[in-house]
Amino acid sequence: MSDVESQLREQFMDAFENASFPVKNQMSLVPALPNGPGTKFEAGDTTITAMELAAKLGKHQDFPYEDAESLVDDVIAGLKEEGMI
């Protein structure tokens, strides 16, 4: 796992672990984000906003999610598949 992936995974877990699970869609995650859809995740030279995650990773997500770990696993996998990390 790269440093960027590791740092982003930690930030995603911190942001999403307080969501009300199960989450049924992307909008269910917004209240858990510290700055709502404008929340930024940064690692190395990579900066990704929550809005970018929603727009670019929708097809990589399989709602509903029962826990933060499975959600974050899919987000990281989607970022890799899209060439974003």
Side-chain angles (χ1 to χ4, degrees):
M1 179 181 321
S2 72
D3 284 345
V4 168
E5 179 182 341
S6 176
Q7 290 173 24
L8 287 174
R9 181 176 292 276
E10 183 177 333
Q11 290 175 49
F12 295 150
M13 285 298 296
D14 287 347
F16 297 131
E17 69 186 353
N18 294 321
S20 295
F21 289 93
V23 290
K24 297 179 181 174
N25 55 47
Q26 292 176 339
M27 292 306 294
S28 300
L29 295 169
V30 173
L33 297 170
N35 294 316
T39 300
K40 289 184 181 180
F41 302 98
E42 300 177 285
D45 292 336
T46 303
T47 300
I48 304 166
T49 66
M51 288 293 287
E52 287 176 302
L53 289 177
K56 295 182 179 183
L57 301 183
K59 66 183 178 187
H60 299 285
Q61 295 175 319
D62 188 21
F63 288 95
Y65 286 98
E66 298 296 324
D67 56 60
E69 188 171 338
S70 58
L71 169 65
V72 171
D73 286 347
D74 281 358
V75 169
I76 293 292
L79 289 172
K80 287 179 175 179
E81 287 181 40
E82 294 294 323
M84 296 173 71
I85 60 170

